[in-house]
Amino acid sequence: MHAAAAALLALALGAVAVRGVAEPRVALAFTALIALGECVRITLPGDREQAPIGAAGALAYALLGPLRGVPTAHGTLQVVAVTGAGLLLAWLPGLALPHRPDRPHRRPPWADPARRDSAARRLLAVGFAAAVFQPLYNGALVDRFSPQGPAYGAFLTAVAALAALCDATLAALLRRSEGGLRFPAALEDELRSLFGIGSAIVATGMLVSLAAGEVGLWALPLFCTPLLLAQVSFRRAAAVRATTGQTIASLARATEVAGYTPHGHARRVADTACALGRELGLGTRELALLEYAALMHDVGQLSLVEPVPDGATAVLPCAEQQRIARLGSEVISRTGVPRQVAEQVARLADPYAGQAGGEGPVPLAARIIRVANAHDDLLTAARGRGVGEAVGRLEALEVIRLGRGRVYDARVVDALARVGGQARD
């Protein structure tokens, strides 16, 4: 994907260098908007970065028809060239930023894989939008639509929707290749994000392209301002998520500090659970909730008078395990984390058939955490006996397999066998 984007940009820059720049003032204005937009980025759930104003500006240029009633003729390759120039211009401040491996947040944009991925997606998606719209516009095939009429707006909407779908597909492919997330789950996450900041980007891009036909280049700062204000709201939401993460981390550490669970147990269970979740095709939101529940799955142990040896609650009677899970769920429900997390923890010790108390099937996340927790408990016990790491993992897997289909979900056990029970030590 990076090679395709680089080849497309090289072709576009070469074509513009040979033919010259059509409407230089307009091209310069959109280049500046894209560059400035790239410098004002936000972090979305899943630690994904986005530059809404830059993306909206590039889409608006790809869909730009008449400007103050005068037809434009910049074409597809100039759209790609202007978008690429804006991206490169936004990276210029990084020339003065030395690469510091110990400080990844200070590395130049081109040294950040996420920024490179974002740039490649932007070029390809905008190139796709321009390739659909510009030939039809410059070939006078859309002249039958009045720029003020509903048909022209519907045509822009269709092209913008196709461009958004293209960008979502490219993002899902990148996440599949780099993060191991299954493509259907990654695509579902990306499509879901279109109803958030993605819809605002598409709407702003369309609005700027339409408004420019009436008010000219003043449409760029005027109609991008609401999107800038929306970014402030997203930043506040990110701060709330950070606070929630700190609360979860504190609760996860509480059982370790109090001596109820071994050091690092919650983190190891969460890592194994997330690996299992990815293997089973969970999306980003489901994985985040799974991680939260896995980190706090032992909070209920704080209600015990005496700690369970090595924190292994699996040795307790089923009724006691359920009591601990319910108590932990009550604590979690008062911390402000999503409701699903408390529900998942409450069902951790329920029988696999999930009919206890008439509450229905046990949630998949609870079944995953139960396997991950048992795996770490067994592996910790093996280490205590002086068993090697590789042998201990095999022993733990064999013990869990004995309960496959009865105590543990067969699909989760099979997933554990495939991923090898890898967790952070």
Side-chain angles (χ1 to χ4, degrees):
M1 195 175 297
H2 291 175
L8 178 61
L9 179 58
L11 175 63
L13 291 174
V16 170
V18 172
R19 302 173 186 172
V21 180
E23 296 106 16
R25 186 171 62 91
V26 179
L28 181 60
F30 276 95
T31 300
L33 176 64
I34 294 169
L36 291 174
E38 284 293 318
C39 295
V40 185
R41 304 177 69 84
I42 60 174
T43 301
L44 301 176
D47 294 328
R48 292 175 294 168
E49 282 197 348
Q50 177 66 277
I53 294 179
L59 180 62
Y61 193 52
L63 302 180
L64 183 63
L67 185 69
R68 291 186 67 88
V70 179
T72 58
H74 46 274
T76 301
L77 291 179
Q78 183 165 313
V79 170
V80 176
V82 165
T83 302
L87 292 169
L88 295 174
L89 189 61
W91 287 7
L92 283 180
L95 289 172
L97 190 64
H99 181 43
R100 294 285 301 274
D102 59 322
R103 296 183 182 180
H105 61 283
R106 290 192 57 195
R107 57 188 172 187
W110 57 83
D112 185 352
R115 293 290 291 273
R116 293 199 301 268
D117 290 348
S118 175
R121 283 172 45 203
R122 180 76 47 77
L123 286 171
L124 294 175
V126 168
F128 173 80
V132 174
F133 177 81
Q134 291 296 326
L136 296 177
Y137 174 76
N138 293 324
L141 295 178
V142 297
D143 285 350
R144 67 190 68 177
F145 304 143
S146 170
Q148 291 79 28
Y152 185 76
F155 173 64
L156 282 184
T157 301
V159 176
L162 288 174
L165 181 60
C166 175
D167 182 70
T169 303
L170 293 174
L173 287 171
L174 284 169
R175 292 178 61 195
R176 171 67 183 90
S177 63
E178 296 176 359
L181 190 65
R182 291 182 181 273
F183 178 75
L187 182 59
E188 182 183 351
D189 285 342
E190 296 299 330
L191 292 177
R192 186 184 295 118
S193 71
L194 290 179
F195 295 98
I197 192 66
S199 61
I201 292 173
V202 172
T204 301
M206 291 173 51
L207 184 61
V208 169
S209 67
L210 286 171
E214 296 295 328
V215 302
L217 295 179
W218 282 107
L220 275 65
L222 182 63
F223 292 98
C224 283
T225 301
L227 188 57
L228 181 62
L229 297 177
Q231 288 189 214
V232 175
S233 298
F234 273 89
R235 290 183 184 277
R236 290 178 178 173
V240 172
R241 289 196 302 272
T243 302
T244 301
Q246 293 171 357
T247 301
I248 291 170
S250 299
L251 284 173
R253 286 280 297 158
T255 56
E256 297 177 9
V257 173
Y260 283 86
T261 58
H263 176 71
H265 169 74
R267 183 71 261 173
R268 291 192 298 270
V269 170
D271 288 344
T272 301
C274 288
L276 295 175
R278 284 189 292 269
E279 181 65 22
L280 292 170
L282 297 186
T284 301
R285 174 171 170 76
E286 290 78 12
L287 286 173
L289 297 176
L290 174 64
E291 182 179 18
Y292 290 167
L295 285 171
M296 297 187 291
H297 74 280
D298 275 328
V299 169
Q301 289 203 44
L302 296 174
S303 65
L304 300 176
V305 177
E306 293 291 337
V308 180
D310 293 325
T313 54
V315 302
L316 297 175
C318 182
E320 182 66 7
Q321 292 182 42
Q322 291 178 321
R323 186 186 72 85
I324 293 173
R326 299 295 195 275
L327 288 172
S329 174
E330 291 179 7
V331 173
I332 293 170
S333 65
R334 289 170 171 78
T335 61
V337 301
R339 172 181 51 81
Q340 297 94 319
V341 176
E343 293 175 353
Q344 291 166 4
V345 172
R347 304 296 302 281
L348 285 178
D350 285 4
Y352 168 57
Q355 301 303 324
E359 297 183 51
V362 179
L364 177 58
R367 287 176 266 155
I368 290 174
I369 296 171
R370 188 169 191 177
V371 170
N373 180 60
H375 179 266
D376 190 69
D377 285 346
L378 293 167
L379 190 54
T380 300
R383 289 170 180 156
R385 301 195 312 270
V387 177
E389 189 71 15
V391 176
R393 290 185 182 277
L394 288 175
E395 287 185 358
L397 181 58
E398 288 304 315
V399 172
I400 292 174
R401 274 176 168 163
L402 294 176
R404 181 182 182 275
R406 295 183 297 103
V407 180
Y408 307 112
D409 186 338
R411 284 199 308 145
V412 180
V413 175
D414 293 342
L416 179 65
R418 290 194 298 271
V419 304
Q422 295 299 319
R424 184 185 302 168
D425 295 330

